mmCIF file of all heavy atoms in Angstrom:
data_model
loop_
_atom_site.group_PDB
_atom_site.id
_atom_site.type_symbol
_atom_site.label_atom_id
_atom_site.label_comp_id
_atom_site.label_asym_id
_atom_site.label_seq_id
_atom_site.Cartn_x
_atom_site.Cartn_y
_atom_site.Cartn_z
ATOM 1 N N HIS A 22 -0.105 -15.205 -8.838
ATOM 2 C CA HIS A 22 0.172 -14.631 -7.518
ATOM 3 C C HIS A 22 -0.247 -13.160 -7.518
ATOM 4 O O HIS A 22 0.003 -12.434 -8.479
ATOM 5 C CB HIS A 22 1.666 -14.735 -7.197
ATOM 6 C CG HIS A 22 2.029 -14.206 -5.843
ATOM 7 N ND1 HIS A 22 1.908 -14.968 -4.696
ATOM 8 C CD2 HIS A 22 2.496 -12.994 -5.449
ATOM 9 C CE1 HIS A 22 2.293 -14.237 -3.652
ATOM 10 N NE2 HIS A 22 2.641 -13.035 -4.083
ATOM 11 N N ILE A 23 -0.880 -12.734 -6.436
ATOM 12 C CA ILE A 23 -1.202 -11.316 -6.228
ATOM 13 C C ILE A 23 -0.318 -10.771 -5.120
ATOM 14 O O ILE A 23 -0.203 -11.365 -4.048
ATOM 15 C CB ILE A 23 -2.679 -11.107 -5.835
ATOM 16 C CG1 ILE A 23 -3.605 -11.389 -7.014
ATOM 17 C CG2 ILE A 23 -2.900 -9.669 -5.345
ATOM 18 C CD1 ILE A 23 -5.092 -11.285 -6.655
ATOM 19 N N VAL A 24 0.299 -9.619 -5.379
ATOM 20 C CA VAL A 24 0.934 -8.824 -4.327
ATOM 21 C C VAL A 24 -0.017 -7.676 -4.013
ATOM 22 O O VAL A 24 -0.253 -6.797 -4.849
ATOM 23 C CB VAL A 24 2.300 -8.263 -4.759
ATOM 24 C CG1 VAL A 24 2.884 -7.387 -3.644
ATOM 25 C CG2 VAL A 24 3.267 -9.392 -5.095
ATOM 26 N N MET A 164 9.901 -4.003 -3.767
ATOM 27 C CA MET A 164 9.265 -5.076 -4.538
ATOM 28 C C MET A 164 10.281 -6.115 -4.985
ATOM 29 O O MET A 164 9.997 -7.313 -4.994
ATOM 30 C CB MET A 164 8.545 -4.479 -5.746
ATOM 31 C CG MET A 164 7.728 -5.489 -6.542
ATOM 32 S SD MET A 164 6.294 -6.128 -5.639
ATOM 33 C CE MET A 164 5.225 -4.670 -5.667
ATOM 34 N N THR A 179 2.626 -12.655 -11.833
ATOM 35 C CA THR A 179 2.334 -11.883 -10.627
ATOM 36 C C THR A 179 1.634 -10.592 -11.003
ATOM 37 O O THR A 179 2.011 -9.913 -11.956
ATOM 38 C CB THR A 179 3.633 -11.564 -9.861
ATOM 39 O OG1 THR A 179 4.220 -12.795 -9.409
ATOM 40 C CG2 THR A 179 3.371 -10.672 -8.670
ATOM 41 N N VAL A 180 0.614 -10.243 -10.236
ATOM 42 C CA VAL A 180 -0.115 -8.997 -10.440
ATOM 43 C C VAL A 180 -0.123 -8.219 -9.132
ATOM 44 O O VAL A 180 -0.481 -8.758 -8.080
ATOM 45 C CB VAL A 180 -1.562 -9.252 -10.901
ATOM 46 C CG1 VAL A 180 -2.303 -7.931 -11.088
ATOM 47 C CG2 VAL A 180 -1.579 -10.052 -12.205
ATOM 48 N N VAL A 181 0.287 -6.972 -9.190
ATOM 49 C CA VAL A 181 0.258 -6.074 -8.038
ATOM 50 C C VAL A 181 -1.075 -5.333 -8.049
ATOM 51 O O VAL A 181 -1.451 -4.737 -9.061
ATOM 52 C CB VAL A 181 1.425 -5.066 -8.095
ATOM 53 C CG1 VAL A 181 1.355 -4.100 -6.910
ATOM 54 C CG2 VAL A 181 2.764 -5.803 -8.113
ATOM 55 N N ILE A 182 -1.792 -5.370 -6.940
ATOM 56 C CA ILE A 182 -3.038 -4.610 -6.798
ATOM 57 C C ILE A 182 -2.811 -3.528 -5.758
ATOM 58 O O ILE A 182 -2.504 -3.819 -4.601
ATOM 59 C CB ILE A 182 -4.210 -5.511 -6.384
ATOM 60 C CG1 ILE A 182 -4.495 -6.559 -7.467
ATOM 61 C CG2 ILE A 182 -5.466 -4.664 -6.133
ATOM 62 C CD1 ILE A 182 -5.630 -7.509 -7.117
ATOM 63 N N GLY A 183 -2.951 -2.282 -6.177
ATOM 64 C CA GLY A 183 -2.734 -1.165 -5.275
ATOM 65 C C GLY A 183 -3.564 0.039 -5.666
ATOM 66 O O GLY A 183 -4.320 0.002 -6.645
ATOM 67 N N ASP A 188 2.495 1.768 -7.327
ATOM 68 C CA ASP A 188 2.323 0.317 -7.364
ATOM 69 C C ASP A 188 2.561 -0.210 -8.779
ATOM 70 O O ASP A 188 3.157 -1.276 -8.962
ATOM 71 C CB ASP A 188 0.929 -0.063 -6.886
ATOM 72 C CG ASP A 188 0.718 0.221 -5.412
ATOM 73 O OD1 ASP A 188 1.452 -0.356 -4.588
ATOM 74 O OD2 ASP A 188 -0.162 1.023 -5.075
ATOM 75 N N ALA A 189 2.117 0.537 -9.772
ATOM 76 C CA ALA A 189 2.346 0.138 -11.160
ATOM 77 C C ALA A 189 3.818 0.252 -11.519
ATOM 78 O O ALA A 189 4.366 -0.598 -12.231
ATOM 79 C CB ALA A 189 1.507 0.996 -12.099
ATOM 80 N N ALA A 191 6.333 -0.068 -9.437
ATOM 81 C CA ALA A 191 7.015 -1.172 -8.755
ATOM 82 C C ALA A 191 6.800 -2.488 -9.491
ATOM 83 O O ALA A 191 7.724 -3.301 -9.621
ATOM 84 C CB ALA A 191 6.518 -1.277 -7.312
ATOM 85 N N ALA A 192 5.589 -2.717 -9.988
ATOM 86 C CA ALA A 192 5.305 -3.943 -10.738
ATOM 87 C C ALA A 192 6.139 -3.999 -12.008
ATOM 88 O O ALA A 192 6.756 -5.019 -12.327
ATOM 89 C CB ALA A 192 3.817 -4.008 -11.071
ATOM 90 N N ALA A 197 6.340 -7.609 -13.436
ATOM 91 C CA ALA A 197 4.990 -8.047 -13.083
ATOM 92 C C ALA A 197 3.961 -7.123 -13.734
ATOM 93 O O ALA A 197 4.304 -6.115 -14.350
ATOM 94 C CB ALA A 197 4.824 -8.065 -11.566
ATOM 95 N N ARG A 198 2.685 -7.464 -13.582
ATOM 96 C CA ARG A 198 1.581 -6.626 -14.050
ATOM 97 C C ARG A 198 0.995 -5.875 -12.868
ATOM 98 O O ARG A 198 1.318 -6.158 -11.716
ATOM 99 C CB ARG A 198 0.496 -7.487 -14.703
ATOM 100 C CG ARG A 198 0.993 -8.433 -15.798
ATOM 101 C CD ARG A 198 1.393 -7.702 -17.046
ATOM 102 N NE ARG A 198 1.676 -8.634 -18.133
ATOM 103 C CZ ARG A 198 0.776 -9.076 -18.995
ATOM 104 N NH1 ARG A 198 -0.488 -8.720 -18.887
ATOM 105 N NH2 ARG A 198 1.136 -9.901 -19.965
ATOM 106 N N ALA A 199 0.083 -4.957 -13.149
ATOM 107 C CA ALA A 199 -0.551 -4.194 -12.075
ATOM 108 C C ALA A 199 -1.994 -3.880 -12.429
ATOM 109 O O ALA A 199 -2.354 -3.733 -13.602
ATOM 110 C CB ALA A 199 0.209 -2.902 -11.802
ATOM 111 N N VAL A 200 -2.818 -3.783 -11.399
ATOM 112 C CA VAL A 200 -4.184 -3.284 -11.490
ATOM 113 C C VAL A 200 -4.324 -2.234 -10.398
ATOM 114 O O VAL A 200 -3.937 -2.478 -9.250
ATOM 115 C CB VAL A 200 -5.222 -4.402 -11.265
ATOM 116 C CG1 VAL A 200 -6.638 -3.832 -11.331
ATOM 117 C CG2 VAL A 200 -5.064 -5.518 -12.290
ATOM 118 N N LEU A 201 -4.860 -1.074 -10.748
ATOM 119 C CA LEU A 201 -4.976 0.021 -9.788
ATOM 120 C C LEU A 201 -6.440 0.259 -9.421
ATOM 121 O O LEU A 201 -7.326 0.243 -10.271
ATOM 122 C CB LEU A 201 -4.344 1.287 -10.356
ATOM 123 C CG LEU A 201 -2.850 1.174 -10.684
ATOM 124 C CD1 LEU A 201 -2.320 2.501 -11.218
ATOM 125 C CD2 LEU A 201 -2.045 0.730 -9.462
#
Side-chain angles (χ1 to χ4, degrees):
H22 182 83
I23 290 176
V24 177
M164 186 67 72
T179 296
V180 179
V181 178
I182 297 179
D188 292 300
R198 308 289 188 90
V200 178
L201 299 181

